[in-house]
Amino acid sequence: MSVGLGPKQQKAALEGVMPWLTPQGLAVEALVKLDRPLLAWMQDPEFHTFDSAAHYTEYRDEPGGLSHLERKIAKLPPRPQWEMERVWTPDEETDEAYDAAYANGCVTIGGRRLHPRDLDAYTTIAYELADLADQDEEFDPNDVERDADLVCGDLDAGLSWAAAGVCVLQQSLPYPFRDVLPYGEINNRPAHRLVYAYASLLQLKAPRRAAAWFTAMVYFSPMDNMGARFHASGGPTDGLPFSG
């Protein structure tokens, strides 16, 4: 898509797009073990089109008004909505047949057994390894003087697992993805949780790089159920300069 485009044109063309993550290390192993990408499909545009302008109209009178980021997204034309296949981690609500099928699809990645298409599994392992202090019910933000104090585990290991999951997700969505992946569709939520986990862990190491991921989340889901806008460039409370 970059053929014939100058640097500024390329930057504009990719504005708000989820960055492409080059597979490395654990992500390469996950992709080698991936039996197939998760299915993802555009829903019928006649009934499933997201109108950003109409959505943000409801919030224009909020205190402070729309942020710079939200004003830019509000100018986008109506966009198609997508839905993804979901692979559930077995729980008390899944039946024996599903549990058996899940187990049959499991592979070993990084010394752990998981279904390679289970995005929530990557998210869970990433948070488990990073062991962030704010995951503890007794966490007191007043005790944190710097971001490094939030990490009780291995941040790099957690990031590697989150990155592996993102690389799996990338196989399922077109690049650059400019449409909407609504959080309201329950099957899409593992993708939201995964991207948010990756951005949150990355933020502890490289805030500016992480801001691009949070920004992309608001673009592909303006309703922003995860609160990514508060960490995105040009968002309501973020101090990073907006790149648009």
Side-chain angles (χ1 to χ4, degrees), residues 97-193:
Y98 180 86
D99 295 352
Y102 183 98
N104 187 57
C106 283
V107 296
T108 300
I109 300 173
R112 293 186 179 237
R113 295 287 293 177
L114 69 151
H115 196 293
R117 285 183 276 122
D118 182 357
L119 299 183
D120 276 331
Y122 294 95
T123 301
T124 298
I125 296 172
Y127 279 133
E128 173 191 325
L129 292 174
D131 190 17
L132 301 184
D134 59 3
Q135 295 176 349
D136 192 323
E137 293 181 358
E138 299 181 359
F139 171 72
D140 184 352
N142 295 319
D143 294 337
V144 178
E145 297 182 359
R146 52 200 179 98
D147 286 345
D149 296 335
L150 279 172
V151 182
C152 301
D154 188 334
L155 178 59
D156 288 334
L159 258 174
S160 292
W161 274 95
V166 169
C167 287
V168 169
L169 173 63
Q170 287 177 165
Q171 309 310 305
S172 300
L173 296 174
Y175 181 83
F177 184 71
R178 305 180 188 281
D179 296 333
V180 176
L181 193 70
Y183 185 88
E185 173 54 59
I186 192 170
N187 289 339
N188 293 340
R189 293 182 184 179
H192 286 252
R193 288 191 285 262

